[in-house]
Amino acid sequence: MIKCPVCGMENLESSQYCDECGNALDSTTSAAAANEDAPVYQSANPTSFGVSAVDDEPPSESDSFEKEKQSVNGAHATLIIERGESVGTEFTLSTDESTIGRWDADNGIFPDVDLDSHDPEAKVSRRHARIRRGSGKYMIEDLGSTNGTFVNRGRRLIPGNAHLLNDGDEIIVGKTFLRFYVNDQAASS
């Protein structure tokens, strides 16, 4: 069993994330947690609030393959579900502004990244977040969601405040964990 250093929850050895709080786990987590002097986290790029995010595992060869595969059909970026329902489901972003949320025909809500069928507990708001592309940069903002938007496990984003989004960043909406990738062709344009 791997003990989460954040909440203390016992997780299976094969777990990558804590089942209770969602903290990233690795094979050294339980050993490091047993030794208080051992660092569990390494500093990463600071979030928009100056809080250091947790380093995740480096991208695997399959991640690189997925990025290259998505460079077609005018898609400039890709979101891939990493945790939650439907792990591995991909959403391509092909416009300069894309919304993340849940489909609601009765109220005329049709998000570009529709997580309705991937979010059985309805933890994702109908209008949850928006990703914008401009001047070669990507920004994400929370749209006043109930359960918040998080980037790289930093603090909850303040609704309406744009946050810089980089290739490989993790985005958490509700209980759905997404990985953001910029397609290589889009980065050069």
PDB file of all heavy atoms in Angstrom, residues 48 79 93 98-100 128-133 137-143 148-152 157-166 169-173 178 180:
ATOM      1  N   SER A  48      -0.328  30.738 -11.078  1.00  0.00           N
ATOM      2  CA  SER A  48      -0.594  32.172 -11.162  1.00  0.00           C
ATOM      3  C   SER A  48      -0.620  32.831  -9.788  1.00  0.00           C
ATOM      4  O   SER A  48      -0.546  34.032  -9.679  1.00  0.00           O
ATOM      5  CB  SER A  48      -1.917  32.415 -11.883  1.00  0.00           C
ATOM      6  OG  SER A  48      -2.968  31.808 -11.174  1.00  0.00           O
ATOM      7  N   LEU A  79      -6.927  17.909 -25.558  1.00  0.00           N
ATOM      8  CA  LEU A  79      -7.150  17.584 -24.155  1.00  0.00           C
ATOM      9  C   LEU A  79      -7.418  16.095 -24.081  1.00  0.00           C
ATOM     10  O   LEU A  79      -8.222  15.567 -24.850  1.00  0.00           O
ATOM     11  CB  LEU A  79      -8.350  18.350 -23.594  1.00  0.00           C
ATOM     12  CG  LEU A  79      -8.173  19.840 -23.374  1.00  0.00           C
ATOM     13  CD1 LEU A  79      -9.523  20.485 -23.040  1.00  0.00           C
ATOM     14  CD2 LEU A  79      -7.189  20.104 -22.252  1.00  0.00           C
ATOM     15  N   LEU A  93      -8.898  20.756 -30.015  1.00  0.00           N
ATOM     16  CA  LEU A  93      -9.277  22.161 -30.026  1.00  0.00           C
ATOM     17  C   LEU A  93      -8.850  22.736 -31.365  1.00  0.00           C
ATOM     18  O   LEU A  93      -7.678  22.688 -31.721  1.00  0.00           O
ATOM     19  CB  LEU A  93      -8.590  22.913 -28.887  1.00  0.00           C
ATOM     20  CG  LEU A  93      -8.730  22.309 -27.484  1.00  0.00           C
ATOM     21  CD1 LEU A  93      -8.027  23.181 -26.460  1.00  0.00           C
ATOM     22  CD2 LEU A  93     -10.183  22.113 -27.117  1.00  0.00           C
ATOM     23  N   SER A  98     -12.330  27.776 -26.827  1.00  0.00           N
ATOM     24  CA  SER A  98     -13.038  26.511 -26.609  1.00  0.00           C
ATOM     25  C   SER A  98     -13.550  26.468 -25.178  1.00  0.00           C
ATOM     26  O   SER A  98     -12.816  26.767 -24.237  1.00  0.00           O
ATOM     27  CB  SER A  98     -12.094  25.320 -26.837  1.00  0.00           C
ATOM     28  OG  SER A  98     -11.587  25.330 -28.138  1.00  0.00           O
ATOM     29  N   THR A  99     -14.809  26.081 -25.020  1.00  0.00           N
ATOM     30  CA  THR A  99     -15.388  25.965 -23.690  1.00  0.00           C
ATOM     31  C   THR A  99     -15.380  24.511 -23.241  1.00  0.00           C
ATOM     32  O   THR A  99     -15.496  23.597 -24.045  1.00  0.00           O
ATOM     33  CB  THR A  99     -16.836  26.502 -23.648  1.00  0.00           C
ATOM     34  OG1 THR A  99     -17.610  25.814 -24.629  1.00  0.00           O
ATOM     35  CG2 THR A  99     -16.880  27.988 -23.899  1.00  0.00           C
ATOM     36  N   ILE A 100     -15.246  24.331 -21.930  1.00  0.00           N
ATOM     37  CA  ILE A 100     -15.288  23.011 -21.300  1.00  0.00           C
ATOM     38  C   ILE A 100     -16.518  22.998 -20.415  1.00  0.00           C
ATOM     39  O   ILE A 100     -16.754  23.942 -19.645  1.00  0.00           O
ATOM     40  CB  ILE A 100     -14.028  22.770 -20.439  1.00  0.00           C
ATOM     41  CG1 ILE A 100     -12.767  22.852 -21.291  1.00  0.00           C
ATOM     42  CG2 ILE A 100     -14.114  21.424 -19.724  1.00  0.00           C
ATOM     43  CD1 ILE A 100     -11.477  22.849 -20.491  1.00  0.00           C
ATOM     44  N   HIS A 128     -18.090  25.430 -17.503  1.00  0.00           N
ATOM     45  CA  HIS A 128     -17.086  25.266 -16.457  1.00  0.00           C
ATOM     46  C   HIS A 128     -15.853  26.156 -16.674  1.00  0.00           C
ATOM     47  O   HIS A 128     -15.468  26.916 -15.801  1.00  0.00           O
ATOM     48  CB  HIS A 128     -16.655  23.798 -16.375  1.00  0.00           C
ATOM     49  CG  HIS A 128     -16.006  23.461 -15.073  1.00  0.00           C
ATOM     50  ND1 HIS A 128     -16.666  22.771 -14.080  1.00  0.00           N
ATOM     51  CD2 HIS A 128     -14.773  23.719 -14.598  1.00  0.00           C
ATOM     52  CE1 HIS A 128     -15.853  22.631 -13.044  1.00  0.00           C
ATOM     53  NE2 HIS A 128     -14.685  23.197 -13.336  1.00  0.00           N
ATOM     54  N   ALA A 129     -15.210  26.028 -17.842  1.00  0.00           N
ATOM     55  CA  ALA A 129     -13.969  26.768 -18.100  1.00  0.00           C
ATOM     56  C   ALA A 129     -13.860  27.087 -19.586  1.00  0.00           C
ATOM     57  O   ALA A 129     -14.581  26.521 -20.412  1.00  0.00           O
ATOM     58  CB  ALA A 129     -12.759  25.968 -17.633  1.00  0.00           C
ATOM     59  N   ARG A 130     -12.921  27.991 -19.911  1.00  0.00           N
ATOM     60  CA  ARG A 130     -12.695  28.360 -21.302  1.00  0.00           C
ATOM     61  C   ARG A 130     -11.192  28.421 -21.553  1.00  0.00           C
ATOM     62  O   ARG A 130     -10.435  28.951 -20.741  1.00  0.00           O
ATOM     63  CB  ARG A 130     -13.326  29.723 -21.578  1.00  0.00           C
ATOM     64  CG  ARG A 130     -13.024  30.282 -22.935  1.00  0.00           C
ATOM     65  CD  ARG A 130     -13.646  31.651 -23.234  1.00  0.00           C
ATOM     66  NE  ARG A 130     -14.043  32.424 -22.062  1.00  0.00           N
ATOM     67  CZ  ARG A 130     -15.269  32.914 -21.885  1.00  0.00           C
ATOM     68  NH1 ARG A 130     -16.198  32.719 -22.783  1.00  0.00           N
ATOM     69  NH2 ARG A 130     -15.555  33.615 -20.807  1.00  0.00           N
ATOM     70  N   ILE A 131     -10.760  27.867 -22.707  1.00  0.00           N
ATOM     71  CA  ILE A 131      -9.362  27.962 -23.138  1.00  0.00           C
ATOM     72  C   ILE A 131      -9.335  28.874 -24.351  1.00  0.00           C
ATOM     73  O   ILE A 131     -10.099  28.679 -25.294  1.00  0.00           O
ATOM     74  CB  ILE A 131      -8.789  26.572 -23.498  1.00  0.00           C
ATOM     75  CG1 ILE A 131      -8.754  25.672 -22.256  1.00  0.00           C
ATOM     76  CG2 ILE A 131      -7.393  26.707 -24.111  1.00  0.00           C
ATOM     77  CD1 ILE A 131      -8.319  24.254 -22.526  1.00  0.00           C
ATOM     78  N   ARG A 132      -8.446  29.873 -24.292  1.00  0.00           N
ATOM     79  CA  ARG A 132      -8.296  30.808 -25.409  1.00  0.00           C
ATOM     80  C   ARG A 132      -6.874  30.747 -25.937  1.00  0.00           C
ATOM     81  O   ARG A 132      -5.919  30.607 -25.174  1.00  0.00           O
ATOM     82  CB  ARG A 132      -8.582  32.238 -24.960  1.00  0.00           C
ATOM     83  CG  ARG A 132     -10.014  32.488 -24.637  1.00  0.00           C
ATOM     84  CD  ARG A 132     -10.245  33.929 -24.295  1.00  0.00           C
ATOM     85  NE  ARG A 132     -11.660  34.146 -24.028  1.00  0.00           N
ATOM     86  CZ  ARG A 132     -12.132  35.229 -23.485  1.00  0.00           C
ATOM     87  NH1 ARG A 132     -11.334  36.212 -23.162  1.00  0.00           N
ATOM     88  NH2 ARG A 132     -13.424  35.357 -23.274  1.00  0.00           N
ATOM     89  N   ARG A 133      -6.763  30.893 -27.258  1.00  0.00           N
ATOM     90  CA  ARG A 133      -5.457  30.947 -27.907  1.00  0.00           C
ATOM     91  C   ARG A 133      -5.310  32.317 -28.540  1.00  0.00           C
ATOM     92  O   ARG A 133      -6.204  32.803 -29.226  1.00  0.00           O
ATOM     93  CB  ARG A 133      -5.353  29.870 -28.986  1.00  0.00           C
ATOM     94  CG  ARG A 133      -4.042  29.935 -29.764  1.00  0.00           C
ATOM     95  CD  ARG A 133      -3.935  28.835 -30.779  1.00  0.00           C
ATOM     96  NE  ARG A 133      -4.843  29.077 -31.897  1.00  0.00           N
ATOM     97  CZ  ARG A 133      -4.658  28.589 -33.114  1.00  0.00           C
ATOM     98  NH1 ARG A 133      -3.643  27.795 -33.366  1.00  0.00           N
ATOM     99  NH2 ARG A 133      -5.514  28.846 -34.077  1.00  0.00           N
ATOM    100  N   LYS A 137       0.020  32.059 -27.340  1.00  0.00           N
ATOM    101  CA  LYS A 137      -0.122  31.606 -25.954  1.00  0.00           C
ATOM    102  C   LYS A 137      -1.527  31.064 -25.738  1.00  0.00           C
ATOM    103  O   LYS A 137      -2.468  31.439 -26.423  1.00  0.00           O
ATOM    104  CB  LYS A 137       0.131  32.750 -24.980  1.00  0.00           C
ATOM    105  CG  LYS A 137       1.546  33.263 -25.000  1.00  0.00           C
ATOM    106  CD  LYS A 137       1.728  34.349 -23.975  1.00  0.00           C
ATOM    107  CE  LYS A 137       3.158  34.853 -24.019  1.00  0.00           C
ATOM    108  NZ  LYS A 137       3.379  35.928 -23.069  1.00  0.00           N
ATOM    109  N   TYR A 138      -1.632  30.197 -24.749  1.00  0.00           N
ATOM    110  CA  TYR A 138      -2.919  29.647 -24.354  1.00  0.00           C
ATOM    111  C   TYR A 138      -3.234  30.118 -22.939  1.00  0.00           C
ATOM    112  O   TYR A 138      -2.356  30.151 -22.074  1.00  0.00           O
ATOM    113  CB  TYR A 138      -2.894  28.123 -24.379  1.00  0.00           C
ATOM    114  CG  TYR A 138      -2.844  27.558 -25.771  1.00  0.00           C
ATOM    115  CD1 TYR A 138      -1.635  27.385 -26.427  1.00  0.00           C
ATOM    116  CD2 TYR A 138      -4.011  27.198 -26.429  1.00  0.00           C
ATOM    117  CE1 TYR A 138      -1.592  26.870 -27.708  1.00  0.00           C
ATOM    118  CE2 TYR A 138      -3.972  26.681 -27.717  1.00  0.00           C
ATOM    119  CZ  TYR A 138      -2.758  26.520 -28.349  1.00  0.00           C
ATOM    120  OH  TYR A 138      -2.720  26.011 -29.613  1.00  0.00           O
ATOM    121  N   MET A 139      -4.486  30.487 -22.729  1.00  0.00           N
ATOM    122  CA  MET A 139      -4.948  30.928 -21.423  1.00  0.00           C
ATOM    123  C   MET A 139      -6.187  30.117 -21.065  1.00  0.00           C
ATOM    124  O   MET A 139      -6.977  29.755 -21.937  1.00  0.00           O
ATOM    125  CB  MET A 139      -5.305  32.416 -21.443  1.00  0.00           C
ATOM    126  CG  MET A 139      -4.184  33.340 -21.920  1.00  0.00           C
ATOM    127  SD  MET A 139      -2.733  33.327 -20.899  1.00  0.00           S
ATOM    128  CE  MET A 139      -3.249  34.330 -19.540  1.00  0.00           C
ATOM    129  N   ILE A 140      -6.345  29.840 -19.780  1.00  0.00           N
ATOM    130  CA  ILE A 140      -7.550  29.163 -19.307  1.00  0.00           C
ATOM    131  C   ILE A 140      -8.161  30.015 -18.216  1.00  0.00           C
ATOM    132  O   ILE A 140      -7.446  30.667 -17.444  1.00  0.00           O
ATOM    133  CB  ILE A 140      -7.244  27.731 -18.783  1.00  0.00           C
ATOM    134  CG1 ILE A 140      -8.545  27.007 -18.412  1.00  0.00           C
ATOM    135  CG2 ILE A 140      -6.244  27.757 -17.630  1.00  0.00           C
ATOM    136  CD1 ILE A 140      -8.386  25.526 -18.163  1.00  0.00           C
ATOM    137  N   GLU A 141      -9.489  30.042 -18.181  1.00  0.00           N
ATOM    138  CA  GLU A 141     -10.175  30.757 -17.114  1.00  0.00           C
ATOM    139  C   GLU A 141     -11.379  29.951 -16.666  1.00  0.00           C
ATOM    140  O   GLU A 141     -12.020  29.270 -17.454  1.00  0.00           O
ATOM    141  CB  GLU A 141     -10.604  32.160 -17.545  1.00  0.00           C
ATOM    142  CG  GLU A 141     -11.692  32.204 -18.578  1.00  0.00           C
ATOM    143  CD  GLU A 141     -12.118  33.617 -18.926  1.00  0.00           C
ATOM    144  OE1 GLU A 141     -12.736  34.295 -18.072  1.00  0.00           O
ATOM    145  OE2 GLU A 141     -11.840  34.040 -20.061  1.00  0.00           O
ATOM    146  N   ASP A 142     -11.631  30.004 -15.378  1.00  0.00           N
ATOM    147  CA  ASP A 142     -12.808  29.372 -14.804  1.00  0.00           C
ATOM    148  C   ASP A 142     -13.996  30.292 -15.083  1.00  0.00           C
ATOM    149  O   ASP A 142     -13.859  31.514 -15.027  1.00  0.00           O
ATOM    150  CB  ASP A 142     -12.629  29.174 -13.304  1.00  0.00           C
ATOM    151  CG  ASP A 142     -13.790  28.445 -12.678  1.00  0.00           C
ATOM    152  OD1 ASP A 142     -13.762  27.198 -12.678  1.00  0.00           O
ATOM    153  OD2 ASP A 142     -14.736  29.113 -12.205  1.00  0.00           O
ATOM    154  N   LEU A 143     -15.144  29.720 -15.403  1.00  0.00           N
ATOM    155  CA  LEU A 143     -16.325  30.513 -15.751  1.00  0.00           C
ATOM    156  C   LEU A 143     -17.332  30.567 -14.600  1.00  0.00           C
ATOM    157  O   LEU A 143     -18.536  30.646 -14.827  1.00  0.00           O
ATOM    158  CB  LEU A 143     -16.976  29.951 -17.017  1.00  0.00           C
ATOM    159  CG  LEU A 143     -16.104  29.973 -18.274  1.00  0.00           C
ATOM    160  CD1 LEU A 143     -16.820  29.285 -19.430  1.00  0.00           C
ATOM    161  CD2 LEU A 143     -15.736  31.407 -18.647  1.00  0.00           C
ATOM    162  N   GLY A 148     -14.842  24.342  -9.269  1.00  0.00           N
ATOM    163  CA  GLY A 148     -13.557  24.949  -9.539  1.00  0.00           C
ATOM    164  C   GLY A 148     -12.747  24.323 -10.660  1.00  0.00           C
ATOM    165  O   GLY A 148     -13.031  23.231 -11.135  1.00  0.00           O
ATOM    166  N   THR A 149     -11.734  25.069 -11.085  1.00  0.00           N
ATOM    167  CA  THR A 149     -10.776  24.643 -12.101  1.00  0.00           C
ATOM    168  C   THR A 149      -9.396  24.779 -11.484  1.00  0.00           C
ATOM    169  O   THR A 149      -9.100  25.781 -10.836  1.00  0.00           O
ATOM    170  CB  THR A 149     -10.890  25.527 -13.358  1.00  0.00           C
ATOM    171  OG1 THR A 149     -12.227  25.455 -13.857  1.00  0.00           O
ATOM    172  CG2 THR A 149      -9.918  25.080 -14.435  1.00  0.00           C
ATOM    173  N   PHE A 150      -8.556  23.759 -11.686  1.00  0.00           N
ATOM    174  CA  PHE A 150      -7.214  23.740 -11.114  1.00  0.00           C
ATOM    175  C   PHE A 150      -6.219  23.413 -12.220  1.00  0.00           C
ATOM    176  O   PHE A 150      -6.494  22.581 -13.082  1.00  0.00           O
ATOM    177  CB  PHE A 150      -7.113  22.679 -10.013  1.00  0.00           C
ATOM    178  CG  PHE A 150      -8.115  22.875  -8.909  1.00  0.00           C
ATOM    179  CD1 PHE A 150      -9.412  22.382  -9.024  1.00  0.00           C
ATOM    180  CD2 PHE A 150      -7.772  23.559  -7.763  1.00  0.00           C
ATOM    181  CE1 PHE A 150     -10.343  22.565  -8.016  1.00  0.00           C
ATOM    182  CE2 PHE A 150      -8.699  23.756  -6.743  1.00  0.00           C
ATOM    183  CZ  PHE A 150      -9.982  23.255  -6.865  1.00  0.00           C
ATOM    184  N   VAL A 151      -5.052  24.063 -12.196  1.00  0.00           N
ATOM    185  CA  VAL A 151      -3.987  23.777 -13.158  1.00  0.00           C
ATOM    186  C   VAL A 151      -2.777  23.295 -12.374  1.00  0.00           C
ATOM    187  O   VAL A 151      -2.315  23.969 -11.447  1.00  0.00           O
ATOM    188  CB  VAL A 151      -3.631  25.032 -13.991  1.00  0.00           C
ATOM    189  CG1 VAL A 151      -2.463  24.744 -14.924  1.00  0.00           C
ATOM    190  CG2 VAL A 151      -4.839  25.495 -14.803  1.00  0.00           C
ATOM    191  N   ASN A 152      -2.286  22.119 -12.744  1.00  0.00           N
ATOM    192  CA  ASN A 152      -1.104  21.518 -12.105  1.00  0.00           C
ATOM    193  C   ASN A 152      -1.237  21.434 -10.590  1.00  0.00           C
ATOM    194  O   ASN A 152      -0.283  21.658  -9.855  1.00  0.00           O
ATOM    195  CB  ASN A 152       0.171  22.261 -12.498  1.00  0.00           C
ATOM    196  CG  ASN A 152       0.454  22.123 -13.972  1.00  0.00           C
ATOM    197  OD1 ASN A 152       0.160  21.112 -14.590  1.00  0.00           O
ATOM    198  ND2 ASN A 152       1.035  23.160 -14.551  1.00  0.00           N
ATOM    199  N   LEU A 157      -8.538  28.295  -9.520  1.00  0.00           N
ATOM    200  CA  LEU A 157      -8.494  29.519 -10.322  1.00  0.00           C
ATOM    201  C   LEU A 157      -9.639  30.440  -9.924  1.00  0.00           C
ATOM    202  O   LEU A 157     -10.761  29.995  -9.687  1.00  0.00           O
ATOM    203  CB  LEU A 157      -8.598  29.187 -11.811  1.00  0.00           C
ATOM    204  CG  LEU A 157      -7.484  28.329 -12.417  1.00  0.00           C
ATOM    205  CD1 LEU A 157      -7.713  28.160 -13.919  1.00  0.00           C
ATOM    206  CD2 LEU A 157      -6.122  28.914 -12.151  1.00  0.00           C
ATOM    207  N   ILE A 158      -9.342  31.716  -9.890  1.00  0.00           N
ATOM    208  CA  ILE A 158     -10.369  32.711  -9.592  1.00  0.00           C
ATOM    209  C   ILE A 158     -11.206  32.911 -10.855  1.00  0.00           C
ATOM    210  O   ILE A 158     -10.650  33.167 -11.928  1.00  0.00           O
ATOM    211  CB  ILE A 158      -9.727  34.040  -9.152  1.00  0.00           C
ATOM    212  CG1 ILE A 158      -8.945  33.828  -7.863  1.00  0.00           C
ATOM    213  CG2 ILE A 158     -10.783  35.128  -8.985  1.00  0.00           C
ATOM    214  CD1 ILE A 158      -8.104  35.022  -7.452  1.00  0.00           C
ATOM    215  N   PRO A 159     -12.534  32.772 -10.752  1.00  0.00           N
ATOM    216  CA  PRO A 159     -13.379  32.919 -11.945  1.00  0.00           C
ATOM    217  C   PRO A 159     -13.129  34.236 -12.672  1.00  0.00           C
ATOM    218  O   PRO A 159     -13.017  35.293 -12.054  1.00  0.00           O
ATOM    219  CB  PRO A 159     -14.803  32.858 -11.378  1.00  0.00           C
ATOM    220  CG  PRO A 159     -14.662  32.056 -10.126  1.00  0.00           C
ATOM    221  CD  PRO A 159     -13.316  32.438  -9.559  1.00  0.00           C
ATOM    222  N   GLY A 160     -12.988  34.137 -14.002  1.00  0.00           N
ATOM    223  CA  GLY A 160     -12.796  35.304 -14.835  1.00  0.00           C
ATOM    224  C   GLY A 160     -11.351  35.750 -14.985  1.00  0.00           C
ATOM    225  O   GLY A 160     -11.060  36.589 -15.827  1.00  0.00           O
ATOM    226  N   ASN A 161     -10.429  35.225 -14.177  1.00  0.00           N
ATOM    227  CA  ASN A 161      -9.010  35.583 -14.276  1.00  0.00           C
ATOM    228  C   ASN A 161      -8.294  34.567 -15.158  1.00  0.00           C
ATOM    229  O   ASN A 161      -8.290  33.382 -14.842  1.00  0.00           O
ATOM    230  CB  ASN A 161      -8.341  35.620 -12.900  1.00  0.00           C
ATOM    231  CG  ASN A 161      -8.751  36.819 -12.087  1.00  0.00           C
ATOM    232  OD1 ASN A 161      -9.579  37.613 -12.510  1.00  0.00           O
ATOM    233  ND2 ASN A 161      -8.182  36.955 -10.910  1.00  0.00           N
ATOM    234  N   ALA A 162      -7.691  35.045 -16.237  1.00  0.00           N
ATOM    235  CA  ALA A 162      -6.988  34.152 -17.163  1.00  0.00           C
ATOM    236  C   ALA A 162      -5.687  33.657 -16.530  1.00  0.00           C
ATOM    237  O   ALA A 162      -4.991  34.403 -15.844  1.00  0.00           O
ATOM    238  CB  ALA A 162      -6.696  34.875 -18.466  1.00  0.00           C
ATOM    239  N   HIS A 163      -5.391  32.382 -16.762  1.00  0.00           N
ATOM    240  CA  HIS A 163      -4.181  31.730 -16.251  1.00  0.00           C
ATOM    241  C   HIS A 163      -3.429  31.152 -17.446  1.00  0.00           C
ATOM    242  O   HIS A 163      -4.031  30.482 -18.287  1.00  0.00           O
ATOM    243  CB  HIS A 163      -4.571  30.622 -15.269  1.00  0.00           C
ATOM    244  CG  HIS A 163      -3.429  29.805 -14.773  1.00  0.00           C
ATOM    245  ND1 HIS A 163      -2.672  30.185 -13.706  1.00  0.00           N
ATOM    246  CD2 HIS A 163      -2.915  28.641 -15.208  1.00  0.00           C
ATOM    247  CE1 HIS A 163      -1.732  29.274 -13.497  1.00  0.00           C
ATOM    248  NE2 HIS A 163      -1.858  28.329 -14.397  1.00  0.00           N
ATOM    249  N   LEU A 164      -2.124  31.393 -17.521  1.00  0.00           N
ATOM    250  CA  LEU A 164      -1.304  30.872 -18.612  1.00  0.00           C
ATOM    251  C   LEU A 164      -1.316  29.354 -18.593  1.00  0.00           C
ATOM    252  O   LEU A 164      -1.159  28.735 -17.542  1.00  0.00           O
ATOM    253  CB  LEU A 164       0.133  31.386 -18.490  1.00  0.00           C
ATOM    254  CG  LEU A 164       1.088  30.979 -19.609  1.00  0.00           C
ATOM    255  CD1 LEU A 164       0.634  31.565 -20.946  1.00  0.00           C
ATOM    256  CD2 LEU A 164       2.499  31.465 -19.287  1.00  0.00           C
ATOM    257  N   LEU A 165      -1.504  28.754 -19.758  1.00  0.00           N
ATOM    258  CA  LEU A 165      -1.567  27.307 -19.901  1.00  0.00           C
ATOM    259  C   LEU A 165      -0.428  26.871 -20.806  1.00  0.00           C
ATOM    260  O   LEU A 165      -0.254  27.410 -21.899  1.00  0.00           O
ATOM    261  CB  LEU A 165      -2.920  26.932 -20.530  1.00  0.00           C
ATOM    262  CG  LEU A 165      -3.376  25.496 -20.461  1.00  0.00           C
ATOM    263  CD1 LEU A 165      -3.443  24.997 -19.027  1.00  0.00           C
ATOM    264  CD2 LEU A 165      -4.758  25.374 -21.102  1.00  0.00           C
ATOM    265  N   ASN A 166       0.378  25.933 -20.346  1.00  0.00           N
ATOM    266  CA  ASN A 166       1.529  25.451 -21.089  1.00  0.00           C
ATOM    267  C   ASN A 166       1.323  24.016 -21.561  1.00  0.00           C
ATOM    268  O   ASN A 166       0.548  23.264 -20.965  1.00  0.00           O
ATOM    269  CB  ASN A 166       2.792  25.514 -20.215  1.00  0.00           C
ATOM    270  CG  ASN A 166       3.161  26.929 -19.857  1.00  0.00           C
ATOM    271  OD1 ASN A 166       3.370  27.758 -20.728  1.00  0.00           O
ATOM    272  ND2 ASN A 166       3.220  27.220 -18.557  1.00  0.00           N
ATOM    273  N   ASP A 169       0.397  20.716 -19.326  1.00  0.00           N
ATOM    274  CA  ASP A 169      -0.244  21.054 -18.060  1.00  0.00           C
ATOM    275  C   ASP A 169      -1.423  20.138 -17.777  1.00  0.00           C
ATOM    276  O   ASP A 169      -2.109  19.668 -18.682  1.00  0.00           O
ATOM    277  CB  ASP A 169      -0.740  22.504 -18.058  1.00  0.00           C
ATOM    278  CG  ASP A 169       0.355  23.509 -17.765  1.00  0.00           C
ATOM    279  OD1 ASP A 169       1.479  23.096 -17.414  1.00  0.00           O
ATOM    280  OD2 ASP A 169       0.087  24.720 -17.900  1.00  0.00           O
ATOM    281  N   GLU A 170      -1.662  19.908 -16.495  1.00  0.00           N
ATOM    282  CA  GLU A 170      -2.818  19.138 -16.051  1.00  0.00           C
ATOM    283  C   GLU A 170      -3.925  20.117 -15.677  1.00  0.00           C
ATOM    284  O   GLU A 170      -3.673  21.113 -14.997  1.00  0.00           O
ATOM    285  CB  GLU A 170      -2.448  18.297 -14.830  1.00  0.00           C
ATOM    286  CG  GLU A 170      -3.625  17.540 -14.245  1.00  0.00           C
ATOM    287  CD  GLU A 170      -3.252  16.837 -12.954  1.00  0.00           C
ATOM    288  OE1 GLU A 170      -2.866  17.535 -11.991  1.00  0.00           O
ATOM    289  OE2 GLU A 170      -3.352  15.607 -12.915  1.00  0.00           O
ATOM    290  N   ILE A 171      -5.130  19.834 -16.138  1.00  0.00           N
ATOM    291  CA  ILE A 171      -6.292  20.664 -15.818  1.00  0.00           C
ATOM    292  C   ILE A 171      -7.282  19.767 -15.091  1.00  0.00           C
ATOM    293  O   ILE A 171      -7.618  18.682 -15.571  1.00  0.00           O
ATOM    294  CB  ILE A 171      -6.952  21.224 -17.098  1.00  0.00           C
ATOM    295  CG1 ILE A 171      -5.966  22.068 -17.895  1.00  0.00           C
ATOM    296  CG2 ILE A 171      -8.201  22.018 -16.746  1.00  0.00           C
ATOM    297  CD1 ILE A 171      -6.453  22.428 -19.286  1.00  0.00           C
ATOM    298  N   ILE A 172      -7.762  20.209 -13.937  1.00  0.00           N
ATOM    299  CA  ILE A 172      -8.763  19.451 -13.192  1.00  0.00           C
ATOM    300  C   ILE A 172     -10.056  20.253 -13.195  1.00  0.00           C
ATOM    301  O   ILE A 172     -10.080  21.412 -12.779  1.00  0.00           O
ATOM    302  CB  ILE A 172      -8.319  19.171 -11.745  1.00  0.00           C
ATOM    303  CG1 ILE A 172      -6.973  18.439 -11.724  1.00  0.00           C
ATOM    304  CG2 ILE A 172      -9.392  18.363 -11.006  1.00  0.00           C
ATOM    305  CD1 ILE A 172      -6.377  18.298 -10.337  1.00  0.00           C
ATOM    306  N   VAL A 173     -11.117  19.629 -13.699  1.00  0.00           N
ATOM    307  CA  VAL A 173     -12.455  20.214 -13.676  1.00  0.00           C
ATOM    308  C   VAL A 173     -13.363  19.183 -13.008  1.00  0.00           C
ATOM    309  O   VAL A 173     -13.491  18.060 -13.479  1.00  0.00           O
ATOM    310  CB  VAL A 173     -12.957  20.591 -15.096  1.00  0.00           C
ATOM    311  CG1 VAL A 173     -12.188  21.762 -15.648  1.00  0.00           C
ATOM    312  CG2 VAL A 173     -12.881  19.432 -16.067  1.00  0.00           C
ATOM    313  N   LEU A 178      -7.642  16.300 -16.893  1.00  0.00           N
ATOM    314  CA  LEU A 178      -7.313  16.406 -18.314  1.00  0.00           C
ATOM    315  C   LEU A 178      -5.853  16.806 -18.468  1.00  0.00           C
ATOM    316  O   LEU A 178      -5.316  17.535 -17.646  1.00  0.00           O
ATOM    317  CB  LEU A 178      -8.181  17.469 -18.981  1.00  0.00           C
ATOM    318  CG  LEU A 178      -9.701  17.284 -18.895  1.00  0.00           C
ATOM    319  CD1 LEU A 178     -10.412  18.598 -19.167  1.00  0.00           C
ATOM    320  CD2 LEU A 178     -10.149  16.226 -19.876  1.00  0.00           C
ATOM    321  N   PHE A 180      -3.315  18.774 -21.147  1.00  0.00           N
ATOM    322  CA  PHE A 180      -3.353  19.707 -22.261  1.00  0.00           C
ATOM    323  C   PHE A 180      -2.078  19.588 -23.083  1.00  0.00           C
ATOM    324  O   PHE A 180      -0.977  19.647 -22.542  1.00  0.00           O
ATOM    325  CB  PHE A 180      -3.483  21.143 -21.722  1.00  0.00           C
ATOM    326  CG  PHE A 180      -3.395  22.202 -22.778  1.00  0.00           C
ATOM    327  CD1 PHE A 180      -4.472  22.461 -23.610  1.00  0.00           C
ATOM    328  CD2 PHE A 180      -2.244  22.946 -22.938  1.00  0.00           C
ATOM    329  CE1 PHE A 180      -4.395  23.451 -24.590  1.00  0.00           C
ATOM    330  CE2 PHE A 180      -2.155  23.937 -23.897  1.00  0.00           C
ATOM    331  CZ  PHE A 180      -3.231  24.183 -24.728  1.00  0.00           C
TER     332      PHE A 180
END
